[in-house]
Amino acid sequence: KRCALSSSPDGQRVFSAYNGSDGQYQSGLKFRVDDRLQLFNMPSGSIDTNIQTNKIFRDVSAWYHIVVAVDMTQSTASDRVNIYVNGVQETSFSTENYGTQNTDWWFNNNSKQSIGRDGAYLGQKIDGYLAEVNVIDGFQYDASYFGETNVLTGQWNPKKYGGGYGTTGFYLNFSDNSGTTATTLGKDYSGNGNNYTPYNFGTGDAV
């Protein structure tokens, strides 16, 4: 849930990953300063995958349910990267570069991972709330695995993911606010033990 629109020209990061030493080697999902979603991968100092929606996301009163599905082994370029918002696949893009087949991403790939900010420069912090984060290693799932439409209201609602997480996947639900450690607020509930270390949080803060 966005609480405020970006005042930074670089936007707000939902997630970020980089090689740990050079900010030009990174992957990320962010709300741009123009409030469009951008998903990108820079495997070697220049952008390979770059997807930017035409749709803008300026509603700070509602929750967004975002699913990103990536499989760079797909032979059809448009099958390599899919973005779903509130159960609907985004198909209209201002920039539409799906990247080179079999190119690795930094996210979920033995590199520094950050949620809610740019991990390389510690900026582009998201101004909002995160209810939960699921990362599935080794599978490209669509939105139906993580949400469903209420048959009475027609509203898209999140649901608990019931499958496996793979080796490096994780599930954060931020349910233990008894402390701000990797085993409390940042605890991974997937069973993999891939805990995250909270940065600059107090126990009264919401995530």
Side-chain angles (χ1 to χ4, degrees), residues 83-100:
I83 300 174
Y84 306 84
V85 180
N86 296 336
V88 178
Q89 184 174 354
E90 294 297 316
T91 57
S92 177
F93 303 105
S94 60
T95 300
E96 191 173 4
N97 185 349
Y98 293 97
T100 307

Side-chain angles (χ1 to χ4, degrees), residues 32-72:
R32 291 165 43 90
V33 69
D34 59 9
D35 301 310
R36 290 171 167 82
L37 271 176
Q38 179 184 15
L39 179 68
F40 65 92
N41 182 43
M42 300 170 63
S44 56
S46 60
I47 287 185
D48 182 63
T49 298
N50 188 14
I51 305 294
Q52 300 178 31
T53 65
N54 276 317
K55 185 182 292 183
I56 57 177
F57 300 90
R58 291 179 178 157
D59 190 347
V60 295
S61 66
W63 287 84
Y64 290 116
H65 184 271
I66 301 172
V67 175
V68 173
V70 176
D71 180 1
M72 297 305 292

Side-chain angles (χ1 to χ4, degrees), residues 140-182:
Q140 185 191 44
Y141 289 143
D142 62 33
S144 67
Y145 284 78
F146 309 97
E148 58 191 1
T149 300
N150 185 301
V151 295
L152 296 179
T153 66
Q155 182 179 5
W156 180 260
N157 295 318
K159 68 178 182 181
K160 184 172 177 56
Y161 169 70
Y165 283 84
T167 303
T168 59
F170 57 88
Y171 170 48
L172 308 179
N173 61 23
F174 314 110
S175 59
D176 186 353
N177 67 351
S178 63
T180 57
T181 67

Side-chain angles (χ1 to χ4, degrees), residues 14 63 114-116 128-134 170-179 181-189 195-199 201 203 205-207:
V14 180
W63 287 84
S114 296
I115 298 171
Y129 298 101
L130 299 174
E132 63 176 24
V133 177
N134 286 278
F170 57 88
Y171 170 48
L172 308 179
N173 61 23
F174 314 110
S175 59
D176 186 353
N177 67 351
S178 63
T181 67
T183 56
T184 53
L185 193 62
K187 183 178 178 179
D188 169 24
Y189 288 87
N195 300 327
Y196 269 61
T197 301
Y199 176 79
F201 274 98
T203 55
D205 291 335
V207 179

